[in-house]
Amino acid sequence: MAIIEVSGVSKRFRDAAGRGFYAVNDASLSINEGEIFAILGPNGAGKSTLVNMMLGLLLPDKGTISVMGERAGNQEVMEKIGYASGDERFHWSLTCGDILGFAGMAYTVNNRARRIGELLDFFGLRGVRDSKFDALSTGEKAKLALAYSLVADPRILFLDEPTLGLDPDISIKVRKEIKAIRERRGATIVLTSHYMREVEYLADRVAFINRGRIMEVSSVAGIRKHYPDLENYFVEMVKG
Amino acid sequence: MRPYKIVAMLYRDSLIIRRSKWRVFEILYFPLTSVLVWGFFSVYSKTFSVEAGLVLLAINIFWNFAYVGQSTANLQMMEDIWSGSLKAILLSGVTEVEYVVSRLVTAAVTSLAVLALMIGIALIFVPEFSDVLGSVVFLSLFTLVSSLALAIIITGMIVTLGKSYGFIAWTALQAFIFLSAPFFPKETFPWPVRVVSEFMPFTHIFEQARYVVVGSPVFFGKPALSSLAYFVVAWPLYIYLFRRARKSGMLAKLG
Ligand SMILES: Nc1ncnc2c1ncn2[C@@H]1O[C@H](COP(=O)(O)OP(=O)(O)OP(=O)(O)O)[C@@H](O)[C@H]1O
Ligand SMILES: [Mg+2]
């Protein structure tokens, strides 16, 4: 069953010279409940634009996006989705505990302290609970962003380059954690990433987007039948 | 509008203040130094013009009060943008209305506390102020409503125009105050400015404030009407500007 339905969505922006161009051009796709769905494509292809429209932060010029049967950005939908990105930022003077505490309150999570404690342990952030955001390392920030997105146990998790700039060993840990989130909670995950290994490890299906157009939607298993690896697939797809 | 979302935002604001205590100093610095300057001036001016001293002191109190009200709300928003946390806030299901209401609550509490301090100090310099305290409090409420209305509009403008226009958070009020004829009757302006002045948020408040301190009778009709008009117009304008920012892509890249 589709939990996200994108149909005929277009978004135009103006470039520096004032010329209009399509950041997303007549995109349609449906994402199934419980799957990890990756959106791939070169820089500037329109991935973040598409995700921002699913989040309701950006309104499409044309077409519709429904999330859990409601219009994207709908108040009830917002309560059930989480978002984290690898370069997510929070207020510099708040501590990890403060930041997660705010999320707990904003989502009226029951048993807030216990939930936050669980997440701190899950991501190994217990030791920096009282450190201010400014003082965290890149990896700790990325993990905090993930923890933040999970406070309310979302049904859909949007991850925009969740392991951006992380060491290989931390990336591997974070990936395992993402996989565990899906396994444990059955959440649907929408992922964008430039690390093909990551996509190969995590995703069930991939949409390839280039110059705003969705070129292809295929399963990772299907891609592996025709290409030695995802990197190879990516390069071929960009060539067109 | 859901109260728990606003409570969560206020909790966050209180943590930010608790984690950086110098903020209290920053908020108090200009209002308190300025009320001291004009307080001493009012003492000095008793020898040549009692009224000038009183008017300067009173209007400066209203000016600082309006500034703290509007700028607290808008600077908080700029901080959310600078720190890149606006996106996380909005994605936590806080709607644009809940967001701005929480900013207005913090701004109102902060500016009323500053006002109480300023009036306290003014009473030391001019004990006779206590006779007109009631009217001053009434006019302060209209000032608060007007400055919060401006805060709502400026929030909408920054969201639509982008963070490079963030400077209007701390500059816009100056122009409104100037055009509201703070220390002098609006008739002092040349005619085109006079017409503009008639429709400025603080013109009628300042006018009545000048009457109050010299013991003339005051009328609250026009100040009440103009501040409410601004407040009522601010909301649809804000919602329109926010929607525009969602369409143009500005909201998504604000931070
Ligand atoms: N708000 C905006 N206003 C104008 N142009 C925009 C806006 N947002 C994105 N763009 C442009 O739209 C295109 C698609 O951008 P988008 O951020 O969606 O790409 P992306 O696929 O996420 O790229 P990356 O891999 O680099 O993150 C780019 O050319 C970008 O410059
Ligand atoms: Mg992107």
Side-chain angles (χ1 to χ4, degrees), chain A residues 11 13 52 56-60 75 78-79 83 89-94 98 102 105-108 132 148, chain B residues 2 4-5 7-8 11 15-16 19 79 82-85 87-88 90-92 95 246-249 252:
Chain A
K11 187 74 207 173
F13 289 129
N52 281 332
L57 283 180
L58 182 65
L59 291 173
Q75 240 181 60
M78 297 308 281
E79 299 298 291
Y83 169 86
R89 289 186 302 139
F90 297 98
H91 196 284
W92 53 78
S93 57
L94 293 177
D98 295 343
F102 164 70
M105 277 183 96
Y107 288 112
T108 54
K132 290 187 177 175
Y148 183 92
Chain B
R2 297 153 297 175
Y4 67 92
K5 294 283 185 192
V7 170
Y11 167 72
L15 288 173
I16 290 175
R19 306 277 179 237
E79 217 172 282
W82 288 323
S83 64
S85 44
K87 189 170 182 176
L90 295 176
L91 290 177
S92 309
T95 63
R246 260 187 227 275
K247 260 210 108 78
S248 71

Side-chain angles (χ1 to χ4, degrees), chain B residues 129-248:
Chain B
F129 260 175
S130 59
D131 303 339
V132 293
L133 215 52
S135 305
V136 169
V137 167
F138 251 100
L139 288 174
S140 313
L141 290 180
F142 303 136
T143 309
L144 182 63
V145 172
S146 295
S147 57
L148 296 186
L150 289 180
I152 298 169
I153 297 168
I154 292 168
T155 305
M157 285 172 67
I158 294 172
V159 168
T160 330
L161 296 170
K163 55 183 156 223
S164 50
Y165 287 81
F167 65 86
I168 61 176
W170 58 91
T171 55
L173 194 87
Q174 187 88 356
F176 282 105
I177 298 272
F178 165 67
L179 291 169
S180 296
F183 302 110
F184 43 85
K186 61 180 181 295
E187 287 72 25
T188 318
F189 281 135
W191 78 265
V193 188
R194 198 182 311 152
V195 176
V196 174
S197 184
E198 182 69 34
F199 297 99
M200 284 294 111
F202 304 109
T203 306
H204 305 292
I205 296 172
F206 289 159
E207 189 167 58
Q208 297 302 320
R210 288 192 302 269
Y211 294 152
V212 165
V213 292
V214 299
S216 305
V218 289
F219 299 98
F220 295 124
K222 273 189 171 178
L225 202 69
S226 72
S227 56
L228 280 177
Y230 266 87
F231 199 71
V232 167
V233 169
W235 285 106
L237 188 60
Y238 172 70
I239 288 166
Y240 164 76
L241 290 170
F242 216 94
R243 201 185 150 75
R244 240 183 78 139
R246 260 187 227 275
K247 260 210 108 78
S248 71

Side-chain angles (χ1 to χ4, degrees), chain A residues 43-44 46-49 160-161 192 194:
Chain A
N43 292 128
K47 303 181 293 294
S48 297
T49 304
D160 200 358
E161 316 224 15
T192 78
H194 284 108

Side-chain angles (χ1 to χ4, degrees), chain B residues 47-106:
Chain B
T47 58
F48 59 94
S49 167
V50 182
E51 294 188 358
L54 293 180
V55 165
L56 282 170
L57 179 58
I59 298 295
N60 268 297
I61 290 175
F62 281 104
W63 184 332
N64 275 286
F65 176 53
Y67 182 75
V68 173
Q70 175 269 325
S71 70
T72 300
N74 290 128
L75 287 175
Q76 266 186 320
M77 182 213 199
M78 285 316 297
E79 217 172 282
D80 292 335
I81 292 173
W82 288 323
S83 64
S85 44
L86 185 64
K87 189 170 182 176
I89 291 172
L90 295 176
L91 290 177
S92 309
V94 175
T95 63
E96 57 263 50
V97 171
E98 287 157 355
Y99 177 76
V100 83
V101 167
S102 71
R103 266 73 205 83
L104 298 185
V105 172
T106 307

